[in-house]
Amino acid sequence: MMKQVALSDWKAIKYFHLRILLIPVISLTAGIISALLVVPVNVFMFLFFSINTFAVEEKCDLNRLYLTLPVSRSSIVGGRYALSICMGLAGLITGIPLAVFADRFSLSHYYGPSGWFLPVVTISYLLFSVFNLCMFPILFRLGYTKGKFWGMCVPLALFAGLYCAWVIISSLPGNEYLLFNALKYASENMLLVNGSIILAATLILLFSFLLSKKLYSDREF
């Protein structure tokens, strides 16, 4: 049933499908600063795109339609999460070649071995889970109109804040090679670092799903 709900949500936002073509442009623009930004930005933008389902749902009053059908609220939440995860995977898959391309013109070139790029991918997954937790439970509880500020502006501000904090920390005296050392450590402890990040991201995503399911089940229409 979740698969059918996810497909229905995808069809419901067909008006927005062409906007996906803008995502690589935005990601490559971020790549001008550093190619390492491309994958996380790409993943974030694909996740951000997936919340169009909430906008269409509210505009067309799809909640009431779904609830007249033999579809449980749990399936509705699960279907929407399935669609968002597919969007996140699309962001990861398309982000890697975009990052390689962006490195040709980036102001900060990536000189490390290819194995060092894996932590960038797993961290992107972690960011996906964190931003999902910031967005989806709020939108499931309040709806798009009431929740879009907290569900959209806060994650954007958080993303910008994390990047600014990284720039400030890495610019401090003695931290000039902080990124280099972090990637080197991750490559030498591949299973520990990436496994821990993937585990943490999966637990956060699971918590987000369970919280959304609880909030949506208590919501009145």
Side-chain angles (χ1 to χ4, degrees):
M1 185 58 69
M2 289 192 298
K3 179 181 177 180
Q4 286 77 6
V5 173
L7 289 173
S8 297
D9 281 341
W10 174 250
K11 293 176 181 178
I13 59 171
K14 61 182 180 180
Y15 175 79
F16 300 97
H17 286 177
L18 283 177
R19 299 186 185 184
I20 291 180
L21 299 177
L22 294 174
I23 295 179
V25 177
I26 297 172
S27 301
L28 288 174
T29 301
I32 295 175
I33 300 173
S34 173
L36 295 177
L37 285 175
V38 173
V39 176
V41 169
N42 205 56
V43 169
F44 176 76
M45 293 307 301
F46 268 92
L47 173 63
F48 201 70
F49 177 84
S50 71
I51 69 172
N52 285 315
T53 53
F54 290 94
V56 173
E57 170 194 80
E58 193 162 288
K59 182 178 180 180
C60 302
D61 204 12
L62 293 181
N63 280 308
R64 296 184 186 276
L65 173 62
Y66 285 150
L67 296 177
T68 61
L69 301 173
V71 180
S72 66
R73 294 197 181 195
S74 178
S75 295
I76 295 173
V77 176
R80 194 147 303 166
Y81 268 78
L83 180 59
S84 74
I85 290 171
C86 289
M87 291 288 99
L89 287 173
L92 285 173
I93 293 170
T94 59
I96 294 172
L98 286 173
V100 174
F101 176 72
D103 198 44
R104 295 174 177 270
F105 57 81
S106 177
L107 297 176
S108 177
H109 293 287
Y110 177 72
Y111 296 106
S114 57
W116 289 15
F117 202 76
L118 182 59
V120 177
V121 174
T122 55
I123 289 173
S124 298
Y125 173 43
L126 177 61
L127 292 175
F128 170 87
S129 299
V130 171
F131 294 138
N132 185 292
L133 177 60
C134 292
M135 298 162 68
F136 274 54
I138 293 174
L139 293 170
F140 270 114
R141 178 58 181 171
L142 301 178
Y144 183 77
T145 301
K146 294 180 180 179
K148 63 182 178 181
F149 173 79
W150 298 107
M152 296 168 63
C153 295
V154 170
L156 283 170
L158 178 60
F159 189 91
L162 287 173
Y163 177 71
C164 290
W166 170 259
V167 171
I168 292 173
I169 293 173
S170 59
S171 299
L172 294 175
N175 289 346
E176 293 84 357
Y177 299 101
L178 183 61
L179 179 59
F180 174 85
N181 293 332
L183 291 174
K184 183 179 179 181
Y185 177 82
S187 67
E188 294 173 349
N189 301 272
M190 194 71 71
L191 182 60
L192 174 63
V193 174
N194 294 298
S196 298
I197 294 174
I198 291 173
L199 177 60
T202 302
L203 291 175
I204 292 171
L205 190 59
L206 177 61
F207 175 70
S208 176
F209 169 71
L210 294 175
L211 179 60
S212 292
K213 189 166 68 169
K214 175 66 169 61
L215 293 175
Y216 190 63
S217 65
D218 294 340
R219 185 177 171 186
E220 297 182 359
F221 295 99

